[in-house]
Amino acid sequence: MDSPHGAAVSAEDFGLKGPRGWVFRGVGLTAPPGSLVAIEGPSGSGRTCLLLALTGRMRPTEGHAEVAGARLPGRAAAVRAFSALGPVPGVSELDPAFTVAEHLRERALLRRRFDGSPRSLLRPGAARAASRAAIDTALDTVGLDLASLPKAERTSVRDLERLEALRLSLALALMGRPRLLAVDDTDLKLSGPERAEAWRLLRGLADGGTTVLAVCSEAPEGALTVRTEDRRERTAAPGTTGTTGTSVAEDATTTTDAPGATAVPATPAATTTTGSTTNGKETA
């Protein structure tokens, strides 16, 4: 049973194949509402595509997933309606030329335009007040203090620190009160303390009931972890086949350290060996 805000996520034999081969394959996952799910792997291992597929933004090739009871790929539009993207390069990036205030106002206007009731058009004052309240709540939730920025809300995105930009992206996503939040490159270009702070922030959102999917190079302790494998490692593994310029199957395996969360082992592909996990250590 889903919580009022979070979305349960499950997947079985989930895979996506592109023009040059399998991007990811054999993913199995079971996560209750309010889980922090870390999609861990090296750059180029299909982790961003898996993130987008689980949020209904890429169509899988095989297997299926369910998000809050909506089965993918058939009900991708329903999943998109209650999920939101934080920072995803090439998909939902912040505009470096915009100020923080411009980004917040733009998102508020879009939400009023597409998610507001027709009655709100007759009461613009009330609609503006509601938008302001939504902005303030989102900023408070992610811990972004506009007064602390170099030029307050008039600070350009290009002048934000990496962690500040992450907070802004999350605030924009949270304005729609999503049940599922997806974040790419969570730990990219962050120092050790900043990385720890980013994970504390995402853990806080999950503890508040929102299910969080976060792509990273190294998963934090206690997160439900889905691991994607580098295609070069897969090509070099015994029993695999492949040719130059063509990627072979990139299977993902899952493990969990989170109480109440379970993971379903990936199914081995016919031409590959699929890793398994034992006590957090991967074996062939």
Side-chain angles (χ1 to χ4, degrees), residues 4-5 33 35 37 45 59 72 79 92-93 96 138 161 164 200 224 226 241 248 251 259 267 278:
H5 301 296
S35 295
V37 181
S45 62
R59 186 177 182 87
L72 295 171
V79 174
S92 56
E93 291 176 298
E161 299 293 337
E164 292 171 339
R200 278 194 294 270
L224 173 63
V226 180
T241 59
V248 298
D251 301 325
T267 302
T278 304

Side-chain angles (χ1 to χ4, degrees), residues 1 17 83 117 151 176 190 195 198 266 281:
M1 180 69 68
K17 189 174 185 180
S83 64
S117 67
K151 295 181 181 179
L190 293 180
R195 187 178 300 114
K281 297 182 179 179

Side-chain angles (χ1 to χ4, degrees), residues 224-247:
L224 173 63
T225 303
V226 180
R227 293 190 175 94
T228 56
E229 297 183 5
D230 192 314
R231 67 178 52 152
R232 290 169 298 182
E233 295 177 2
R234 175 60 64 206
T235 303
T240 63
T241 59
T243 58
T244 303
T246 302
S247 64

Side-chain angles (χ1 to χ4, degrees), residues 26-53:
V27 174
L29 169 68
T30 301
S35 295
L36 174 58
V37 181
I39 302 176
E40 178 190 80
S43 179
S45 62
R47 54 188 192 170
T48 300
C49 291
L50 176 57
L51 183 82
L52 294 174

Side-chain angles (χ1 to χ4, degrees), residues 62-89:
E62 68 178 12
H64 69 273
E66 283 193 7
V67 183
R71 190 178 179 92
L72 295 171
R75 299 190 60 196
V79 174
R80 291 195 298 270
F82 58 73
S83 64
L85 298 181
V88 178

Side-chain angles (χ1 to χ4, degrees), residues 179-265:
R179 302 177 65 187
L180 178 67
L181 174 64
V183 184
D184 197 13
D185 289 336
T186 302
D187 52 5
L188 180 66
K189 297 182 180 179
L190 293 180
S191 65
E194 289 173 334
R195 187 178 300 114
E197 179 59 30
W199 285 118
R200 278 194 294 270
L201 171 57
L202 295 181
R203 169 61 70 187
L205 296 179
D207 289 344
T210 303
T211 303
V212 178
L213 305 178
V215 165
C216 60
S217 58
E218 184 177 353
E221 184 178 353
L224 173 63
T225 303
V226 180
R227 293 190 175 94
T228 56
E229 297 183 5
D230 192 314
R231 67 178 52 152
R232 290 169 298 182
E233 295 177 2
R234 175 60 64 206
T235 303
T240 63
T241 59
T243 58
T244 303
T246 302
S247 64
V248 298
E250 295 173 23
D251 301 325
T253 60
T254 59
T255 184
T256 177
D257 299 311
T262 60
V264 181

